[in-house]
Amino acid sequence: MTDKIDVKNIPVDVQLHKPDLKQPNRYPSRDRIYVRAVKGLHQVLRRYMGFFFMGLFMLLPWLRYHGEQAILLNIAEQKFTIFALTLWPQDFTILAWLFIIAAYALFFVTTFYGRVWCGYLCPQSVWTFIFMWFEEKIQGSRNQRMKLDQQAWSVTKFSKKFLTHLCWVTFALLTSLVFVGYFTPIDQLVLNFFTLQAGFWATLAVLFFTFCTYGNAGWMREIMCTHMCPYARFQSAMFDKDTFTVSYDATRGENRGPRSRKDKDYKEKGLGDCIDCNLCVHVCPTGIDIRNGLQYECINCGACIDACDDTMDKVGYPKGLISYTTENRLLGKKTHIFRPKLVGYFAVLVVVCLAFAYTLHQRQPLEFDILRDRGALFRDTSEGWVENTYILRIINKSQHERSYRVEVTGLDDVRWIGPQEVTIAGGETISQPVSLAADPWELAEPITDVTFTVTVLEQPEIQISQTNRFFSRR
């Protein structure tokens, strides 16, 4: 064979493109998003849901139950009160079930209807919309705010900006006081804070959450959703072609372009229903163009739907160019509501809800532990009997004073040394030392199992038993 294969020499030198350190503004600043106000069904729903849950958040710590704060999560005392229910660190299982329920509820809703949690109930979104409401009422509409920012500083501009930020800080401080009030008595907190008598940690917590709320809802806004929220990153794992998301019908809308309202022959010109007004972009709180397809920045708030439906009404076209729909529906296929993944999430959600209800129902309003005397396993009394010492630790997990009686079984002839009945205030704990004495000649083994039983005198059906050991020299 005389044919030769041509060999091409490829250079292996790598050129590194280093940034020019002398160049100013190497990293361009973030473009500010001026969100335009919009009216519509989805915005009314979002507004009223936000008002309802915000009002609930503000009201709950002020409610009283039997003369005490109805909801108080006292971390210092490790005591969590929710109306008639008092939880302790030993009840961590209940809290774990609540987190599991919340997780699977989020998975189920996301698989079915996309990121509606982000658009309607997420605290970041709710606080951001409230801050934008202050901004709009003080500085004006979207165009007025843009014009105001382009103007040179003046008394008018300074006063509007100052009033806006004052309202932001005031509202952030108010909500921070309420939030910290869930963890410390709120009436004392508010009084002591404004009289400068609050403790160091309480004051630090209020100021810290004020700063975070002001920064997140006033300045960062969509950055929290697009760069910091982990949910925005893994949400796509729960989406499928039957998930309802805010989507643009490109088949109907393209080719987009402006036209006259009287133009009835736009389709013959190759135009779709989208008139390219860009209102869907102006009303988006994250500044995306929904016409570019599904994007992780979309929080499914429906603002673009309301803006587009209003435009379609004005030009006389059918609504629904942007709507909550599925990928299959946009492709002309059938949407499957009951599919294995969604049914699986719902089934697991039902199971964990039942497990939570069972755990809550089986919870006893008292805790009982037994600690042995570490000094000696046993000692001989002057009468020749064998005595064991124990420390009974009883926790009254209810909110009311209760009386308890402790009895022991497992020994035929035993003497109880110490009180057998005790009274404990609500939420309190006692450690009561007691001793058991027995005749060694009546004991068949050197170690005998004994059972202590605590009974609530006011509710005899509530009992807790613990088994321990009785040691002798035999």
Side-chain angles (χ1 to χ4, degrees), residues 394-413:
I394 305 174
I395 305 175
N396 180 4
K397 297 166 66 174
S398 70
Q399 298 179 358
H400 308 285
E401 185 178 85
R402 291 286 184 265
S403 297
Y404 304 91
R405 180 175 178 81
V406 187
E407 298 176 333
V408 65
T409 56
L411 295 174
D412 294 333
D413 186 13

Side-chain angles (χ1 to χ4, degrees), residues 383-452:
E383 300 175 351
W385 286 44
V386 177
E387 181 179 307
N388 285 211
T389 302
Y390 308 86
I391 298 178
L392 308 181
R393 184 172 179 266
I394 305 174
I395 305 175
N396 180 4
K397 297 166 66 174
S398 70
Q399 298 179 358
H400 308 285
E401 185 178 85
R402 291 286 184 265
S403 297
Y404 304 91
R405 180 175 178 81
V406 187
E407 298 176 333
V408 65
T409 56
L411 295 174
D412 294 333
D413 186 13
V414 63
R415 293 179 184 176
W416 183 284
I417 304 172
Q420 279 191 272
E421 293 187 6
V422 292
T423 300
I424 308 175
E428 298 296 330
T429 302
I430 68 163
S431 296
Q432 179 65 51
V434 298
S435 297
L436 298 180
D439 188 345
W441 298 104
E442 300 292 335
L443 300 175
E445 301 291 338
I447 301 177
T448 304
D449 289 336
V450 292
T451 301
F452 293 83

Side-chain angles (χ1 to χ4, degrees), residues 256-275:
R256 71 187 76 158
R259 79 289 308 268
S260 171
R261 291 187 182 183
K262 299 180 180 180
D263 188 358
K264 303 299 181 182
D265 301 327
Y266 64 93
K267 289 188 179 294
E268 298 179 359
K269 300 177 183 179
L271 296 176
D273 284 355
C274 179
I275 66 173

Side-chain angles (χ1 to χ4, degrees), residues 79-82 84-88 91 363 397-399:
K79 175 182 175 182
F80 311 99
T81 303
I82 306 174
L85 179 66
T86 301
L87 300 178
W88 299 84
D91 300 312
R363 175 183 178 272
K397 297 166 66 174
S398 70
Q399 298 179 358

Side-chain angles (χ1 to χ4, degrees), residues 170 173-174 177 188-198 206:
T170 303
L173 177 61
L174 176 62
L177 282 168
Q188 300 177 16
L189 172 67
V190 173
L191 179 62
N192 293 339
F193 183 82
F194 287 107
T195 57
L196 304 180
Q197 297 180 356
V206 171

Side-chain angles (χ1 to χ4, degrees), residues 110-392:
T110 303
T111 302
F112 181 66
Y113 232 78
R115 290 181 65 183
V116 289
W117 157 261
C118 297
Y120 290 84
L121 293 177
C122 175
Q124 172 67 20
S125 298
V126 173
W127 261 261
T128 298
F129 289 136
I130 292 175
F131 275 41
M132 287 194 296
W133 180 85
F134 281 118
E135 197 174 43
E136 181 182 358
K137 293 302 179 183
I138 297 172
Q139 300 182 25
S141 64
R142 177 179 183 270
N143 291 335
Q144 290 173 329
R145 297 197 302 273
M146 294 174 65
K147 184 178 179 180
L148 181 66
D149 285 347
Q150 294 172 359
Q151 294 175 357
W153 281 100
S154 62
V155 176
T156 302
K157 180 177 180 178
F158 176 80
S159 60
K160 289 184 178 181
K161 291 290 185 179
F162 176 79
L163 184 58
T164 300
H165 288 271
L166 179 62
C167 291
W168 288 356
V169 172
T170 303
F171 189 76
L173 177 61
L174 176 62
T175 55
S176 298
L177 282 168
V178 173
F179 179 74
V180 178
Y182 279 90
F183 302 92
T184 187
I186 191 169
D187 49 355
Q188 300 177 16
L189 172 67
V190 173
L191 179 62
N192 293 339
F193 183 82
F194 287 107
T195 57
L196 304 180
Q197 297 180 356
F200 171 78
W201 291 111
T203 303
L204 180 63
V206 171
L207 295 179
F208 173 76
F209 287 113
T210 299
F211 172 77
C212 290
T213 305
Y214 170 74
N216 292 345
W219 291 94
M220 301 184 69
R221 294 189 178 178
E222 78 283 353
I223 291 180
M224 295 294 297
C225 303
T226 58
H227 291 80
M228 301 182 68
C229 178
Y231 180 50
R233 301 298 176 178
F234 69 78
Q235 56 155 340
S236 58
M238 291 171 278
F239 283 11
D240 55 38
K241 294 184 178 181
D242 294 305
T243 300
F244 286 87
T245 58
V246 175
S247 303
Y248 166 70
D249 189 351
T251 303
R252 174 187 160 188
E254 300 297 326
N255 293 312
R256 71 187 76 158
R259 79 289 308 268
S260 171
R261 291 187 182 183
K262 299 180 180 180
D263 188 358
K264 303 299 181 182
D265 301 327
Y266 64 93
K267 289 188 179 294
E268 298 179 359
K269 300 177 183 179
L271 296 176
D273 284 355
C274 179
I275 66 173
D276 203 18
C277 63
N278 283 328
L279 287 179
C280 55
V281 181
H282 295 169
V283 301
C284 179
T286 58
I288 65 171
D289 189 341
I290 195 63
R291 296 171 295 181
N292 294 334
L294 181 64
Q295 299 153 74
Y296 78 91
E297 296 93 342
C298 178
I299 62 174
N300 268 28
C301 64
C304 55
I305 298 178
D306 291 332
C308 187
D309 284 348
D310 183 60
T311 300
M312 293 295 103
D313 266 345
K314 291 179 180 178
V315 297
Y317 299 165
K319 296 181 179 180
L321 181 59
I322 302 176
S323 62
Y324 283 103
T325 187
T326 66
E327 183 180 347
N328 277 336
R329 184 175 295 177
L330 290 176
L331 295 175
K333 301 178 182 179
K334 181 180 179 181
T335 296
H336 301 88
I337 301 297
F338 301 101
R339 50 198 186 274
K341 182 166 67 172
L342 188 65
V343 173
Y345 280 139
F346 181 74
V348 175
L349 181 60
V350 171
V351 170
V352 294
C353 286
L354 293 176
F356 168 75
Y358 176 79
T359 303
L360 195 61
H361 180 265
Q362 292 296 114
R363 175 183 178 272
Q364 296 287 0
L366 68 98
E367 191 81 16
F368 177 47
D369 291 315
I370 305 173
L371 302 176
R372 290 190 54 86
D373 183 10
R374 297 181 180 180
L377 292 178
F378 64 90
R379 71 180 186 89
D380 295 325
T381 66
S382 58
E383 300 175 351
W385 286 44
V386 177
E387 181 179 307
N388 285 211
T389 302
Y390 308 86
I391 298 178
L392 308 181

Side-chain angles (χ1 to χ4, degrees), residues 43-54:
Q43 303 319 297
V44 170
L45 179 62
R46 187 182 69 184
R47 185 179 303 112
Y48 281 106
M49 290 180 67
F51 284 160
F52 173 77
F53 286 104
M54 177 64 72

